[in-house]
Amino acid sequence: MASVVAQCHYIFGLRTGVINNICYFDEQTVIFPCGNNCVRYNIDQRWQRFIPGTEKSQGMQALAISANRRYLAVSERGEKGTITVYDLQHEQSRKRKVLSGGEVPVLEFVSMAFSPDSKYLIGQAGAPDWTLFYWMWEKQKVMASVKTTGSTNPINQVSFNPQDNTQICVSGNGVFKLFRYAEGALKQSNFLKLESHNFLSHTWMSEERVIAGTETGRLLVFESGDLRWEMSVTTKPATQEADRSDRMTDQSVDQSIKHFRPSILHSLRKPEVKCEGAAPARMPRITAITSYSKGFACSAGPGTVCLFEKTEEKDNYRKTREIRIPADPCSNEPSHAEQQEMVTLCISPSEETLVTSTDRGQLYSITLSSAEMSKGEQAHFEFLSHSFHSNIITGLSICIRKPLIATCSLDHSVRIWNFETNVLELHKEFQEEAFSVALHPSGLFILVGFSDKLRLMNLLIDDVRTFKEFTVRGCRECVFSHGGHMFAAVNGNLIHIYSSTTFDNLLNLKGHNGKVRAIVWSTDDSRLVSCGMDGAVYEWNTLNSKRESESVLKSCSYTGVTISPDAKTIFAVGTDCTLKEIQDCQILREVAADDVAYTTIAMSRSGRVLFAGTSIGTVRAIKYPLSTQKDWIEYQAHSGAVTKMVITFDDQYLLTVSEDCCLLIWKIIDKEGRGLKRDKDITYAEEILITKSDLEEKNQIMMELKTRVEELKMENEYQLRLKDMNYNEKIKDLSEKFVQEIESLKTKNQVLKTEKEKQEMSHLEVTREVVEKHSREQQDFESTSNQKLMLEYEKYQELQLKSQLMQEGYERQLQAMEDSKGRALEELTLFYEAKLQEKMLMLGQDESRQQMREFEESKKQMEEDGDREIQDIRIKYERKLRVEKEINLRLKGETGVMRKKFSSLQKDIDDRNVEIEKLRVEQQKLRGVIKSLEKDILGLKKEIQERDETIQDKEKRIYDLKKKNQELEKFKFVLDYKIKELKKQIEPRENDIKEMKEQIQEPTKKSTMEGELDQVHKRNTQLELNITELKLKLKATDKEMHKETQRVRDVEALVRRFKTDLHNCVGFIQEPKRLKDSIRELYEHYVQQSDVVDIVGVDADIQREYSRQREHLERNVASLKRKLAKDTEVHRTENVKIMKENVSLIKEINDLRRELRLVRTQVHDNKSQSGISKKKLSSSDLTALTSVSHSSDLCIPIALTSASP
């Protein structure tokens, strides 16, 4: 087998068409299908684990996860539909069981569900039988099966009752049935006629209640299988105010939940269906619905999910939030994203996050807590990971300098991915479909082949912008050379080679008779290999466009080609299900692919392994050198044909894209699990492109933000100052309050002290009385109880002696009676025996017998009499003994009672002692509390003293400050007086300045200056007129230039069209008739008779007119330049003259300032001598005065300079 293997590393995309295609494994991990795999994706850490699909499956149909989130069921279509159950707690998601329909032929299972205890699984088979299977899945045993519907009414969903393993709900087109498993069979438990409703989804709200969503936007609620009520999720486009005003009516009509009969509901719905004068609106389809503890969430049309929550009323739900998919800013039509249909809704185990999948293969999520918090704003979904392609991916490319992947798709988008960080870097949608893409080796430019043109674009920091277009329509293949200085583009059966720097068409490679399907550059960019649908594989020399080698096999239509690192061997794949190794124009080897067509091929830079993609979506790692045996490893990758395949330049990753809209990144490793050895470490560049305008805009934003930050700092400082002032005021208020509270607490403390003393006295008296009373009672009780006990004990002793004596007497009497009876009996027996002997001797046998009988009878009677007497005596004495025993027992009971009374009295005495001890402890505690309160009072007194001291200090400080304030006010008064005096001294100086200004503005000087100014104004106006004339002339020339440039562009476009048509004509070089017809069409299309006749004369006239106009304009421009130079010279001389006058005036002003300073010094000396100024005059005040005087002095030159012009 191959020594190099590939391992799934990361995947971008979502497989559509799978029922329940997203589900939560735990709070951070979701499971969704992608390609022919199920992906376990960790949202926080962004890692992925893969569960590969089974071999020879035709695609997944549905997913289901168990209630305990341990098992995952995957339904796959094939020759025989199967359900595979995986154990998610196992590290590799081990396959547990594979279920099928048994003897029943099933092609697919369209819906599945686990039971609440995860022991049973139901699966709904598809058309034509629509059989529902009920498995005990761990034993792979079909417990029961039933046909749920007819062939015309498809089933959309099946589910278990969340609290009952035996109840199942089935919904579909005109079908809503409840089944119960009993006695080994599934039996229908409800019978409703709902043919008019197409149920798309349903969910269980409780053990009895099910909510189902229909195709017309209705929510039907069933309880115990019967329809209870119905409501609509239709949203009306109205303002928030209208929503508030109409909320009561909406709730009463649409969302009020009452128990109606179906007929009443039908009559209520009639006005909603038919509206006079209104256009029939498309009803929102409720394609997905899921329940949670607060209520349920359901889709409500394109791009919308509604949240319903239980109200306080019974059986009532209210719509609380509406969540929408946001518009896509990267799209040409951002509203298209909002039109996506929700396929599956799933809520996390903690009910924190809602995740949804759409029919365009996108995954969105929202945190429910944030949706609830933004009550006033519209809640929007966010991408769960990234935005994915939603149509067939047609192009794939990588670069050398950066870890970037470029893909393009028929969904009009181009996406840039990063295979190191596994993120989407850039995404942009265009108006046309994109067929091919190529990244420049630097990673800064991208070439994209659209349906109308081939565009070369810049990869900016946040955008993809076009800067060059090439007239190559429907370019299906484009590739940059390894050096990046050239790129090749396919146009049908032609290959154009362009320069990446000059954008010139360097070469046109002709030779293919069919469309070119793949091209690849050699490592030194000297060769280009191409293959096409005509069965030809050509090797081209990119320096002279010659064909170096060729291999033609017309029975095969090639789809992919690659070249070995040494550029000696070519590998090609096509529709004949073989891999061909071509060398020196000959096919060396052909390796069969087992009736599976290869679609693309790639070879590692090391040359150790080939990777091939198939039409069924699998990827094969083929060992090189090739062998005739099946020496490859096959991996389950995509669910559609692999369209493109690339290996990164460091041989670490394999990239594949497919018709299933997925991008799959494989890690290339050896059998020990290590990455392949690199020749040298590649360090990726971090440079990015950004336009000058964007950079300036960002710099401008940064400057604005900086200024804003500074403004905010100033504002915050100001706010802090205000807060400090407020807090100081509050502190003052609080200190006053605390002083008042301290005083009130002092009074309270005094009152409490007096009360405490009173209570102490009263408590001591009460305790003393209680103790004395208790001690007296205790002594009395002890004495009485001791006396009673002694009496009772003496009685008990006497009774005990009596009972003993009586018992002994009775025993003696019984013994004597027994002895006397025994002796009497012996005597009687001896006496009668002697008599008997005598009688026996005397009498005969008959008499003796008669006497014996009599004797025996008399003996019996005597014995009986004796026994009777003995028994009577015994009974008599036993009765006496019983009576004595009862008396004895009664006395014992009385003694026991007395003992109990004694013990209870003893307990009472002990309890009283304990209570006395407790009271002593409480007394001690109260004394401790009193001591602690006294300590607190002392502490409070100390605090009050400290506060009084601080208050006294503050008052002293306030008094000092007031004194200082008074002194400062006096000082201010003195300074005000000084300022007034100085102002009085300044006034005569100002009068002198005014006189000097008047002297400056004498009539003679003024008239001369005004005359000069008038002349200057006249010249300026004349120059302005000349400039406006010149501007008009320049505008006219610009318009003519634009017209000429437009004509030149039109001519260039005509030439380009002519070139392309001529190029198409050259394609018929081997067919003379078609060539002649095409040239004739070219002549008729581009050459007209009037153009032929007039072209010579017209060109000469135009040339002469153009030269004449140009000379005239040049002469005008030269004369205007001369005039402008003269005027500037005149203005310069006048400005110099004015500047000289200003200088003389400034000198005079400076002289006046000196005189003013001298006067001030004299005044100051006089005042110092007179003693007006005192030592308290601070230097700061003097500087303020001098600054005021300087400001007044500075006004003079400003006024003069403003007046001088």
Side-chain angles (χ1 to χ4, degrees), residues 847-861:
E847 290 177 357
S848 62
R849 286 176 184 169
Q850 188 67 30
Q851 286 176 355
M852 280 291 288
R853 288 191 195 115
E854 289 176 357
F855 174 73
E856 284 175 358
E857 284 176 1
S858 60
K859 184 181 175 182
K860 280 179 183 177
Q861 287 175 0

Side-chain angles (χ1 to χ4, degrees), residues 1150-1176:
N1150 289 329
D1151 294 335
L1152 289 168
R1153 279 181 184 168
R1154 289 193 201 96
E1155 290 176 5
L1156 185 63
R1157 286 196 194 97
L1158 289 169
V1159 171
R1160 280 178 185 162
T1161 52
Q1162 288 173 4
V1163 170
H1164 183 68
D1165 294 336
N1166 292 327
K1167 284 183 180 179
S1168 62
Q1169 288 171 5
S1170 61
I1172 294 167
S1173 62
K1174 294 179 182 179
K1175 291 181 180 179
K1176 291 181 181 178

Side-chain angles (χ1 to χ4, degrees), residues 1059-1073:
K1059 279 183 179 179
T1060 52
D1061 293 339
L1062 186 64
H1063 186 70
N1064 293 328
C1065 288
V1066 172
F1068 307 121
I1069 195 73
Q1070 296 177 356
E1071 299 176 4
K1073 286 184 180 179

Side-chain angles (χ1 to χ4, degrees), residues 259-276:
H259 295 277
F260 294 131
R261 294 190 188 93
S263 61
I264 298 170
L265 287 169
H266 185 67
S267 64
L268 279 174
R269 288 199 305 272
K270 280 180 182 177
E272 193 175 293
V273 175
K274 292 184 180 181
C275 298
E276 293 181 3

